Amino acid sequence: MPKKRSANRVRGIPGRAPVERERRLIRHKEKELRAVILRLRALDRGDTSATAEERDACFREVRRLAVTPKGLVSEEFRRDLWPFLLGVSPAALNGSSNTGNGPQQAHRDAAQVEKDVERSLWHYDVLQGTKESERRVKRRALTQIIQGVLNANDELFYFQGYHDIVSVFLLTLGNSKGTLQAVRNVSETYQREPMRSGFEQVMATNRLLFPLLDAADEMLYRHLHESGVEPYFALPWMITWFAHQLRRFRDVVRLYDVFLVSHPLFSLYVSAAVLLNARDKILRCERDFGTMHGMLSNLPLAMDVEKVIARAIVLFHQLPPPQLLQRAQFESASRANTYLQFPFEHQPWPSATAPMLKEVPPLPPRQLRDGDISSYVGSWQVSIIVTAVAVGIVAAASAFAFRDRIGMRV
């Protein structure tokens, strides 16, 4: 007789905490988020010599909360912490409508912006049931923010999918001067490469996905390579931070929590983690270009965001960007791209480049050789173990942070 599932357990990852314990953890995390927000507000009001160190301590706490399960929890906290992470001043947060009511100068990409915005603000679950009049208001605000960013910097070029990124900030932060500044800072740093006049650097960086996957799971990489696919299926994932692919808005903002405290290449590691977590499905897929490409393009729709983030964080520490570039023999001419520059000017915290994890398991040893498939089973076992460890490490980091304060055994 099959074992009956307990009604108070969360479905999904085996061993995940019962629902009530998870609720208690979230409540405690909310207390921690409120505490760090109050501390940041106090620092904004003061002017002491310890401000830089204290702000760095605040960043470390925000980053810890962002990368552990549930991230920054809700829009209530993101409205304060996303601007902090993007260097937006408190004065801008209190400003009214971002661009005013007057007409704006038409940008060279205005026609494409108008077409994309007209098709936007439909696919997220939180927008289902929105009245058409409300949708039109949001679209006008979306257009104003995009045009405001483009008009402020002539070196920025619009790309299709950029409106999805801006819509995430609009829906999370609202229509304010702070939102405009936040989007502008993201555009001039994390999204700088897609917003150049050409996509050469973006395409070169996207091609790092397969060397990264090869290092993490040689068998999976070979299966994809033999199907003839190139990593371009993951290009929209990288350049929109999955905002174009996902339907559950909570999953989108959960990823943005992590991207805003991470290296600009972290979206590449998340893309690799999506593939690693869909390993069985990919290996069952026929090695046919069309079939494989179609299946890969839709993988984000079914991904477990927390597992993907956990796997990506571990992979990032197993093979950091400098080692990845060396492994992939990345051309020196391409090293000037913004994906490889971190931290940015709006991230003055010394801890920005500090490791997120203290210990990680090593990468699996390379086992396959040309024409040799005898080690596939061993490679599969290593991948499963590393995935389980990835989830365990990040979950434990979150759980132990709560343990002593709420009197729980974990």
Side-chain angles (χ1 to χ4, degrees):
M1 183 176 179
K3 187 176 180 180
K4 186 176 180 181
R5 181 188 295 272
S6 174
N8 67 338
R9 293 192 67 82
V10 177
R11 300 180 64 184
I13 304 173
R16 185 181 282 183
V19 171
E20 183 55 35
R21 181 184 297 180
E22 185 169 289
R23 287 173 180 166
R24 293 176 65 187
L25 295 180
I26 291 175
R27 286 197 295 269
H28 186 77
K29 198 169 194 181
E30 290 174 340
K31 291 180 181 179
E32 291 185 305
L33 286 164
R34 291 189 181 97
V36 73
I37 288 172
L38 289 175
R39 184 58 186 151
L40 284 171
R41 290 175 180 172
L43 291 175
D44 289 333
R45 292 192 298 268
D47 185 17
T48 66
S49 58
T51 295
E53 291 78 5
E54 290 180 337
R55 283 184 174 275
D56 184 56
C58 287
F59 168 76
R60 287 198 306 272
E61 180 69 357
V62 173
R63 187 179 71 165
R64 179 185 69 80
L65 294 167
V67 302
T68 48
K70 304 301 179 182
L72 301 182
V73 179
S74 71
E75 275 59 48
E76 173 190 351
F77 305 110
R78 293 183 177 107
R79 280 193 289 269
D80 281 288
L81 296 177
W82 281 14
F84 162 68
L85 294 172
L86 288 167
V88 178
S89 68
L93 295 178
N94 297 325
S96 57
S97 180
N98 49 30
T99 53
N101 298 319
Q104 296 190 49
Q105 178 183 355
H107 188 266
R108 57 178 169 257
D109 299 321
Q112 187 61 55
V113 171
E114 183 178 355
K115 291 178 182 177
D116 288 349
V117 169
E118 186 60 30
R119 298 191 295 263
S120 69
L121 299 173
W122 281 101
H123 71 288
Y124 293 135
D125 55 355
V126 295
L127 294 172
Q128 302 306 309
T130 300
K131 295 180 180 179
E132 188 57 31
S133 58
E134 296 176 2
R135 203 184 310 274
R136 285 196 297 268
V137 171
K138 292 182 184 298
R139 284 175 175 165
R140 282 197 297 270
L142 182 59
T143 300
Q144 289 177 343
I145 295 173
I146 293 173
Q147 290 183 350
V149 171
L150 296 177
N151 287 332
N153 189 337
D154 290 338
E155 295 183 355
L156 296 179
F157 289 76
Y158 178 81
F159 66 92
Q160 287 188 282
Y162 179 70
H163 67 290
D164 290 311
I165 298 171
V166 179
S167 69
V168 174
F169 285 93
L170 173 63
L171 294 173
T172 302
L173 303 181
N175 185 18
S176 70
K177 291 181 179 178
T179 304
L180 175 62
Q181 187 60 53
V183 174
R184 182 176 176 181
N185 288 357
V186 165
S187 304
E188 294 177 349
T189 54
Y190 284 101
Q191 296 296 332
R192 184 65 184 90
E193 292 306 324
M195 301 192 75
R196 295 193 188 277
S197 58
F199 252 44
E200 295 82 6
Q201 299 279 41
V202 176
M203 302 297 282
T205 305
N206 173 253
R207 292 186 67 84
L208 290 171
L209 178 61
F210 277 2
L212 178 60
L213 187 64
D214 185 28
D217 191 325
E218 188 179 358
M219 175 185 172
L220 183 59
Y221 161 72
R222 288 203 172 199
H223 187 76
L224 289 172
H225 179 71
E226 290 169 5
S227 72
V229 297
E230 295 289 342
Y232 304 136
F233 62 85
L235 190 61
W237 308 354
M238 281 184 56
I239 65 176
T240 70
W241 285 357
F242 292 85
H244 185 70
Q245 285 70 38
L246 298 178
R247 299 293 180 264
R248 291 191 298 268
F249 192 68
R250 68 176 183 272
D251 289 346
V252 179
V253 293
R254 176 70 190 94
L255 285 169
Y256 275 49
D257 289 343
V258 183
F259 289 138
L260 292 176
V261 299
S262 304
H263 191 284
L265 265 186
F266 194 70
S267 59
L268 185 79
Y269 288 81
V270 172
S271 300
V274 171
L275 300 176
L276 291 167
N277 282 12
R279 185 179 198 276
D280 292 344
K281 183 175 183 179
I282 295 172
L283 292 178
R284 288 195 302 267
C285 184
E286 181 183 355
R287 297 178 194 178
D288 170 74
F289 174 85
T291 305
M292 182 67 76
H293 189 277
M295 185 271 294
L296 293 173
S297 299
N298 292 320
L299 282 181
L301 292 173
M303 72 180 184
D304 183 318
V305 171
E306 295 295 351
K307 289 182 68 175
V308 165
I309 290 172
R311 187 69 180 89
I313 291 173
V314 172
L315 184 57
F316 182 85
H317 288 75
Q318 289 175 321
L319 191 66
Q323 296 180 25
L324 173 61
L325 299 181
Q326 183 179 10
R327 184 186 187 101
Q329 298 180 342
F330 205 58
E331 295 182 5
S332 59
S334 299
R335 289 182 181 271
N337 83 53
T338 315
Y339 282 122
L340 310 179
Q341 299 173 12
F342 185 74
F344 297 115
E345 186 177 347
H346 69 263
Q347 299 166 322
W349 315 291
S351 298
T353 56
M356 290 181 274
L357 299 176
K358 293 182 179 180
E359 296 181 0
V360 293
L363 285 168
R366 294 187 63 81
Q367 298 179 352
L368 302 182
R369 297 294 182 266
D370 292 339
D372 177 16
I373 61 172
S374 61
S375 300
Y376 271 22
V377 174
S379 177
W380 172 78
Q381 291 172 334
V382 169
S383 180
I384 294 297
I385 292 171
V386 171
T387 300
V389 171
V391 175
I393 286 176
V394 177
S398 178
F400 279 108
F402 301 130
R403 180 186 60 183
D404 295 334
R405 301 179 188 176
I406 59 178
M408 291 172 48
R409 297 181 63 186
V410 293

